[in-house]
């Protein structure tokens, strides 16, 4: 029995959104590790948040200064800012202007 | 506790590939190979796949991100993670619930790995292509021989202990790095052989031809929800435990969430390609479950050209799928015991594997007992474990806090605030709904007594676990939010 067009479409779409996406995720994940290791070997540290993620973290710390986790969050934020100032090549897509405008958060 | 923290040197995965293969190996198990193909065919084929894939992306992927993140953030196993994220002594009991459910799950999964090992061994001896081979008699002879089944259960637990004793990097990682790629290659090879058999395409037509009316049926969505939640191992403590061994610069959402959930289902899809063409080409009963593998498919190999080789490829890969799941499930207990007691890694492995071996004896002795355990743990224990872990993120740590502080740290993909309501409301509601649907559906059926027993057992487990953790915490440490976090 030959497959109907609809069955072919369903099968190909399933292959695309399951093994297709899984393969892309695997390759991307392995490449990011390779890239981070390269940067770590060259400069000793890597920025740990993307611009959007760091902005979220900053907003959260400023909105919840007395949260039990605020100290930890502030440390992570400030550590990322200091790293970005120290390293030559960020891992995430940071522009020099964005890095220039970053500030650490004091209590 | 502080004593044991100082004593335990925390390992890390040796490579990203090792972690990803371990996660995939833990989540891909017997259910992917014997359950997913039939569930797909039974519930409208392509229509079921659409419902399933949708729910997989909406629920399982965010849920696995949450669970892996908790492990990475706390750098502890299930009990330690609960201790670090909640000040409530009673809530900490839920960590013990997850641990007990895992050991109960493994107690009846280990004999199944033993079955797979027995068949893999006989495939290497070319038993299935011997003249006069009778698959039903072979299966009956095996399963009705308690000494043999218990022997395989014992060998399985010894094998798992033999790997786990070497730890994360030199034990689990070293094994999964070749077992999982081989499993994928083997399933691909069987799939190619299957679809090229005369009549093989009928199997694909059965699975992939969508019957849209199924999308209007509640049962299709329930089946899709169950498959999306249970086949990915969400909330069983495995992702949390494996995540606790991630390094500082490792990503969680891309690998621990997206790749694990989608990769696991991709292997289920591969199993569809590997089994259904063969089932249809040889006119087998597609709803046979475990019998499909051990009886129906065993009958096919003598009729295939190069059948002895195909039997090896199929049964050895099935053994790999179950064994790597066994590693993940058992490691949940090993990590927690080594962190919470004075036992060394070796002592913890021996204690946990010994306990699982002992508790697994009734399931190894009686298939009927195994089935009852599967019903109780699958219907009530695992959802309870999932709810416990998701509740930890959703209601104790808080999804927004988790997302901004840790989930997006070193992440391969950015996770937006859409994630918060999914973790906080959607997953818990769906879990409660599935359990409630199962309870209502059991009323008036032959499973009613088991259902009542299961609900009562789980209620007792929660009460006892909370009491035990309350007493133990009274003698030990207190939470220290300032010391949370995994660097």
């Amino acid at each position: 029995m030959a497959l109907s067009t609809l069955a072919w479409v369903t099968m190909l779409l399933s292959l695309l959104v399951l093994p297709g996406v899984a393969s892309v995720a695997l390759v991307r994940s392995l490449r990011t590790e390779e890239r981070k290791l390269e940067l770590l070997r060259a400069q000793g540290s890597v920025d740990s948040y993307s611009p959007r993620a760091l902005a979220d973290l900053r907003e959260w710390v400023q909105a919840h200064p007395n949260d039990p986790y605020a100290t930890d969050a502030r440390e992570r934020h400030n550590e990322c800012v200091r790293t970005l100032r120290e390293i030559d090549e960020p891992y995430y897509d940071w522009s020099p202007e964005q890095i220039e405008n970053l500030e650490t958060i004091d209590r | 506790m502080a004593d044991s923290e100082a004593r335990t040197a925390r390992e890390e995965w040796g490579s990203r590939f090792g972690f990803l293969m371990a996660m995939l190996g833990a989540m891909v198990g017997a259910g992917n190979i014997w359950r997913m193909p039939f569930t797909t065919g039974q519930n409208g084929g392509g229509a079921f796949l659409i419902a399933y894939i949708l729910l997989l992306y909406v629920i399982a992927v965010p849920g696995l991100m949450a669970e892996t993140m908790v492990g990475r953030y706390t750098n502890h196993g299930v009990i330690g993670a609960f201790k670090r994220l909640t000040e409530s002594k009673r809530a900490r009991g839920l960590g013990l619930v997850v641990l007990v459910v895992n050991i109960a799950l493994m107690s009846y999964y280990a004999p199944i790995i033993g079955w797979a090992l027995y068949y893999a061994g006989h495939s290497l001896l070319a038993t299935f292509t011997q003249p006069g081979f009778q698959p039903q008699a072979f299966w009956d002879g095996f399963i009705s021989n308690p000494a043999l089944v218990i022997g395989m259960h014992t060998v399985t637990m010894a094998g798992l202990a033999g790997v786990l004793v070497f730890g994360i990097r030199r034990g689990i990682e070293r094994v999964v790095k070749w077992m999982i790629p081989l499993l994928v290659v083997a399933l691909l090879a069987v799939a190619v052989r299957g679809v090229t058999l005369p009549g093989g395409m009928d199997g694909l037509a059965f699975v992939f031809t969508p019957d849209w009316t199924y999308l209007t049926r509640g049962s299709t969505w329930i089946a899709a929800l169950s498959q999306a939640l249970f086949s990915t191992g969400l909330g069983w403590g495995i992702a949390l435990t494996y995540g606790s061994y991630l390094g500082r610069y490792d990503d969680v959402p891309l690998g621990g969430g997206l790749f694990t959930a989608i990769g696991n289902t991709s292997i289920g899809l591969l199993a569809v390609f590997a089994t259904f063409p063969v089932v249809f080409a040889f006119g087998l009963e597609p709803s046979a479950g475990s019998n499909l593998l051990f009886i129906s498919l065993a009958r096919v190999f003598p009729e295939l050209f190069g059948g002895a080789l195909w039997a090896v490829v199929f049964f050895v890969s099935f053994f790999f799928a179950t064994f790597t799941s066994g590693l993940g499930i058992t490691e949940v207990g090993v990590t927690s015991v080594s962190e919470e007691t004075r036992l060394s890694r070796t002592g913890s492995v021996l204690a946990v594997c010994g306990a699982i071996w002992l508790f697994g004896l009734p399931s190894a002795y009686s298939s009927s007992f195994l089935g009852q355990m599967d019903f109780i743990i699958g219907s009530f224990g695992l959802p309870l474990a999932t709810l416990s872990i998701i509740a930890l993120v959703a209601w104790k740590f808080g999804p927004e806090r988790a997302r901004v502080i840790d989930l997006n740290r070193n992440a391969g993909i950015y996770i937006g605030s859409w994630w918060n309501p999914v973790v906080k409301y959607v997953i818990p509601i769906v879990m409660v709904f599935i359990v409630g649907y199962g309870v209502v559906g059991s009323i008036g059926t032959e499973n009613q007594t088991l259902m009542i027993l299961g609900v009562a057992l789980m209620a007792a487990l929660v009460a006892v676990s909370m009491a035990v953790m309350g007493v133990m915490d009274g003698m030990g440490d207190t939470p220290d939010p300032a010391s949370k976090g995994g660097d």
Side-chain angles (χ1 to χ4, degrees):
Chain A
M1 186 173 102
L3 286 185
S4 65
T5 309
L6 196 55
W8 272 110
V9 170
T10 312
M11 186 172 76
L12 293 175
L13 276 177
S14 304
L15 288 171
L16 184 72
V17 298
L18 292 173
V21 171
S23 304
V24 170
L26 177 65
V27 170
R28 184 165 170 189
S29 190
L30 296 177
R31 281 192 180 161
T32 58
E33 185 203 32
E34 210 173 292
R35 173 89 181 120
K36 277 181 191 171
L37 286 174
E38 244 173 54
L39 290 173
L40 277 170
R41 273 193 290 265
Q43 48 195 30
S45 57
V46 176
D47 45 318
S48 44
Y49 291 94
S50 68
R52 266 205 295 183
L54 194 69
D56 284 353
L57 183 61
R58 186 168 49 246
E59 275 172 33
W60 184 86
V61 173
Q62 286 166 347
H64 306 87
N66 298 317
D67 189 276
Y69 293 83
T71 307
D72 188 22
R74 199 177 298 116
E75 277 170 15
R76 289 180 174 213
H77 175 276
N78 293 347
E79 185 206 31
C80 183
V81 172
R82 280 192 295 271
T83 303
L84 281 164
R85 285 175 184 160
E86 286 165 10
I87 58 177
D88 297 325
E89 197 178 346
Y91 168 72
Y92 290 106
D93 197 16
W94 288 94
S95 69
E97 293 74 30
Q98 281 174 314
I99 297 172
E100 187 76 20
N101 292 330
L102 284 175
E103 285 177 9
T104 54
I105 306 171
D106 299 322
R107 234 198 110 74
Chain B
M1 191 44 220
D3 199 28
S4 71
E5 274 173 27
R7 179 174 53 80
T8 307
R10 193 98 187 139
E11 260 196 281
E12 285 184 6
W13 296 101
S15 67
R16 186 85 189 140
F17 185 69
F19 165 69
L20 296 176
M21 291 303 107
M23 287 286 275
L24 200 56
M27 306 314 181
V28 172
N32 291 71
I33 296 178
W34 76 44
R35 187 164 183 264
M36 171 138 177
F38 175 64
T39 309
T40 304
Q42 194 187 32
N43 289 286
F48 170 83
L49 278 177
I50 289 168
Y52 172 52
I53 290 168
L54 183 72
L55 294 169
L56 188 73
Y57 276 93
V58 172
I59 294 174
V61 171
L64 276 170
M65 286 177 187
E67 188 183 347
T68 313
M69 182 277 303
V70 169
R72 200 260 304 257
Y73 183 68
T74 60
N75 268 174
H76 276 78
V78 285
I79 292 183
F82 274 82
K83 279 185 174 176
R84 267 144 197 83
L85 293 181
T86 173
E87 292 171 21
S88 158
K89 290 175 182 174
R90 286 181 180 277
R92 291 174 177 191
L94 295 177
L96 187 57
V97 167
V98 177
L99 180 65
V100 172
V101 166
N102 254 275
I103 288 176
L105 167 67
M106 194 57 202
S107 76
Y108 69 86
Y109 196 69
I112 296 176
I113 304 175
W115 302 353
L117 178 60
Y118 185 72
Y119 270 68
H122 271 281
S123 72
L124 292 168
L125 297 170
T127 304
F128 306 119
T129 46
Q130 295 294 318
F133 172 71
Q134 295 292 327
Q136 184 70 52
F138 183 79
W139 169 253
D140 291 343
F142 168 59
I143 210 71
S144 61
N145 184 340
L148 194 51
V149 180
I150 289 172
M152 296 315 296
H153 169 56
T154 307
V155 173
T156 297
M157 287 318 301
L160 288 170
V163 174
L164 292 173
V165 82
F166 287 101
I168 298 298
R169 192 184 295 203
R170 291 192 308 128
I172 297 174
E173 186 170 347
R174 191 182 280 178
V175 168
V176 296
K177 271 165 86 172
W178 59 269
M179 273 193 179
I180 298 304
L182 277 178
L183 166 69
V184 172
V185 170
L187 282 175
L188 271 173
V190 177
V192 170
R193 183 68 193 101
V195 295
T196 52
L197 286 169
M201 292 300 276
D202 291 357
L204 295 187
F206 175 71
V207 175
F208 290 108
T209 303
D211 183 345
W212 302 116
T213 59
Y214 276 85
L215 283 180
T216 61
R217 296 181 190 177
S219 59
T220 304
W221 290 91
I222 292 290
L225 276 172
S226 304
Q227 186 73 19
L229 285 169
F230 298 135
S231 79
T232 53
L234 169 62
W236 299 6
I238 302 171
L240 188 156
T241 303
Y242 277 3
S244 75
Y245 293 102
L246 281 171
R248 172 188 168 151
Y249 291 106
D250 276 320
D251 139 277
V252 165
L254 182 62
L258 189 70
F259 174 74
T260 302
I262 306 301
N264 163 71
T265 308
S266 301
I267 294 189
L269 189 69
L270 206 50
V272 168
F273 281 95
T275 53
F276 263 54
V278 178
V279 165
F280 275 73
F282 287 89
L284 306 176
E285 171 52 53
S287 63
S290 58
N291 284 353
L292 176 67
L293 257 78
F294 295 121
I295 301 169
S296 306
L297 287 176
R299 192 193 311 151
V300 166
F301 296 113
E303 299 178 41
L304 284 175
F305 177 73
L309 179 65
W310 289 113
V312 171
V313 170
F314 189 82
F315 284 117
V316 171
S317 65
F318 180 64
F319 168 67
F320 285 174
T322 56
F323 189 77
T324 50
S325 294
L327 288 174
I329 300 167
T330 311
E331 180 58 38
V332 173
V334 171
T335 293
S336 284
V337 168
S338 65
E339 284 172 358
E340 305 301 325
T341 69
R342 293 176 182 276
L343 289 174
S344 63
R345 168 94 195 174
T346 304
S348 303
V349 169
L350 293 175
V352 172
C353 290
I356 291 170
W357 175 80
L358 191 65
F359 295 137
L361 288 177
S363 294
Y365 183 77
S366 158
S367 304
S368 153
F369 184 82
L370 188 153
Q372 290 168 354
M373 282 290 287
D374 186 31
F375 179 81
I376 291 174
I377 300 300
S379 306
F380 306 107
L382 294 176
L384 181 62
T386 305
L387 272 174
S388 302
I389 286 182
I390 292 299
L392 182 67
V393 184
W395 302 96
K396 288 293 177 185
F397 196 16
E400 177 64 2
R401 194 153 51 185
R403 185 182 74 85
V404 299
I405 296 179
D406 202 69
L407 186 64
N408 277 326
R409 192 185 197 204
N410 295 305
I413 44 172
Y414 170 79
I415 302 302
S417 55
W418 59 266
W419 185 78
N420 304 346
V422 172
V423 171
K424 190 160 189 173
Y425 301 111
V426 178
I427 299 175
I429 289 170
V430 163
M431 289 307 299
V432 170
F433 175 72
I434 291 178
V435 174
Y437 189 89
V439 167
V440 172
S442 300
I443 296 171
T445 68
E446 60 184 39
N447 286 330
Q448 181 172 304
T449 311
L450 266 183
M451 178 270 287
I452 294 168
L453 180 67
V455 172
L457 270 177
M458 292 308 131
L461 175 61
V462 171
V464 170
S465 298
M466 285 180 169
V468 167
M469 290 309 287
V471 170
M472 284 177 68
D473 280 356
M475 301 185 297
D477 58 347
T478 52
D480 174 15
S483 69
K484 288 165 187 164
D487 294 342

